[in-house]
Amino acid sequence: MRPYEVVYILDPSLEEAQQTALVERFQTLVQNQGGSVQHTDRWERRRLAYEIQGRREGYYVVMNFSGEPKVEAELSRVLGITEGVLRHQIVRMDDRTAEKNIAEAKKAAEAKA
């Protein structure tokens, strides 16, 4: 299985429950397709570099997962058609740096909490 990192920006006008539902939906999608989610980091609302669909801010989510290319393709398709997702980008990570980045992200999340 290949390691991937996906960053997606949610519409800031969504309520907290709707944002949580979308994050859980994407995690479940990866798991149902045969992949596994290593870490999900929910950033706070941030200002965008440029206006997207009339929005100046967005709610960022970073998720690290591993799976076959079909998992990445299905997640990209669903992210592209889901209302409430302003932008997304999926990147295949190098095997050596993937473990290091995930460990650092988990450590930073624990320090924040």
Side-chain angles (χ1 to χ4, degrees):
M1 292 207 293
R2 299 176 178 173
Y4 293 95
E5 181 174 73
V6 60
V7 178
Y8 53 94
I9 306 171
L10 298 176
D11 188 341
S13 66
L14 296 174
E15 295 178 12
E16 182 70 29
Q18 292 172 314
Q19 292 175 355
T20 302
L22 284 175
V23 171
E24 290 174 0
R25 176 181 172 198
F26 300 138
Q27 290 175 341
T28 304
L29 174 76
V30 169
Q31 293 166 349
N32 290 344
Q33 292 290 322
S36 64
V37 176
Q38 279 85 31
H39 182 67
T40 302
D41 192 11
R42 298 175 70 173
W43 297 358
E44 69 268 359
R45 182 182 247 182
R46 295 183 179 224
R47 184 165 175 80
L48 302 173
Y50 53 90
E51 193 171 300
I52 301 174
Q53 298 177 6
R55 307 285 191 243
R56 301 297 271 155
E57 293 182 331
Y59 185 79
Y60 284 71
V61 179
V62 179
M63 180 173 68
N64 297 96
F65 69 96
S66 60
E68 298 300 322
K70 70 175 186 155
V71 177
E72 180 267 335
E74 179 64 13
L75 180 61
S76 181
R77 184 188 74 78
V78 171
L79 283 166
I81 62 174
T82 301
E83 241 181 84
V85 176
L86 300 178
R87 287 280 192 273
H88 73 278
Q89 183 173 18
I90 302 176
V91 178
R92 180 176 174 210
M93 299 176 66
D94 180 64
D95 292 330
R96 288 177 266 155
T97 59
E99 293 177 20
K100 179 181 150 198
N101 290 347
I102 293 169
E104 288 174 0
K106 287 182 180 179
K107 185 183 284 186
E110 290 172 4
K112 192 187 304 183

